[in-house]
Amino acid sequence: MSTPSSLSPAVLHRLVQEGRAPRLLDVRTPGEFRTAHIPGSSNVPLHTLREHRAELVGHLDEDVVLVCRSGQRAKEAERALAEAGLPGLRVLDGGITGWEAAGAPVERGPERWDMERQVRLVAGSVVLVTGLAGIVVPGAHLVGTAIGAGLTFAALSNSCALGVLLSRLPYNRGPRTDIRTVTAELRSTR
């Protein structure tokens, strides 16, 4: 499979200013999207995109740029959509973080923690608590060891099971994950 093409924030910003903006699909969780997103982008969370990619392909053309926090989830979304028959997608280089760093406009909502920060909090807390509990409860430290093994696997496989689980919590979900709402929005924005 080919590597997804990337688009720099500066080039995308220029296209937006010239009125030639591609369709922007933000694959972060609804909570992350509500915190900050590129004006005019549509939120299609990665888990929704994966589950309903065949349905979504019919609502997309080849002029699509995928956006996430840093680019990793967008690359996963590109692979899923390419497998469903939509080639030629692009990924925003550096994601929303790169977009903001370039000084491009962002629509802001209530502040929420992004997924990476949530993963660090949960993993670190489990390791800390089980490490301390291991002083009193023999073997409790092995839970922390399992978390460490999971994080190592996540780095090596470039996936994160803990992130997937956290994305399903009410804090990170929202009404936009319903496939009917997503496809209706995609139809109305073109």
Side-chain angles (χ1 to χ4, degrees):
M1 186 155 308
S2 64
T3 305
S5 174
S6 65
L7 187 66
S8 74
V11 170
L12 179 58
H13 189 221
R14 187 180 75 243
L15 290 171
V16 169
Q17 288 177 319
E18 294 172 352
R20 299 184 304 129
R23 181 184 298 272
L24 301 173
L25 292 187
D26 191 318
V27 299
R28 296 175 298 149
T29 66
E32 290 173 295
F33 183 80
R34 283 190 299 265
T35 297
H37 62 271
I38 299 171
S41 61
S42 298
N43 185 219
V44 183
L46 183 58
H47 70 274
T48 301
L49 183 142
R50 281 184 184 138
E51 186 177 334
H52 299 283
R53 61 185 164 202
E55 295 169 67
L56 292 170
V57 166
H59 299 284
L60 302 173
D61 54 30
E62 291 186 19
D63 194 19
V64 174
V65 175
L66 299 162
V67 180
C68 67
R69 181 181 176 278
S70 63
Q72 184 53 43
R73 284 179 277 177
K75 289 175 186 172
E76 291 179 41
E78 186 277 335
R79 283 189 291 274
L81 289 172
E83 288 171 4
L86 188 63
L89 301 164
R90 295 175 287 175
V91 171
L92 179 61
D93 194 26
I96 190 76
T97 303
W99 177 262
E100 285 186 282
V106 174
E107 287 186 16
R108 293 205 175 277
E111 192 65 34
R112 292 175 177 261
W113 285 12
D114 62 47
M115 190 56 57
E116 182 181 317
R117 188 173 182 190
Q118 292 177 51
V119 167
R120 289 191 313 251
L121 173 69
V122 171
S125 296
V126 169
V127 170
L128 176 64
V129 168
T130 59
L132 293 173
I135 296 169
V136 180
V137 180
H141 70 284
L142 294 176
V143 174
T145 302
I147 292 291
L151 291 173
T152 301
F153 177 77
L156 294 173
S157 67
N158 215 6
S159 64
C160 185
L162 183 55
V164 170
L165 291 173
L166 289 172
S167 73
R168 297 183 189 278
L169 292 175
Y171 176 81
N172 291 313
R173 287 184 306 179
R176 301 184 85 181
T177 59
D178 174 73
I179 190 61
R180 288 187 190 127
T181 304
V182 169
T183 55
E185 180 183 343
L186 292 174
R187 279 193 302 271
S188 72
T189 58
R190 278 285 184 212

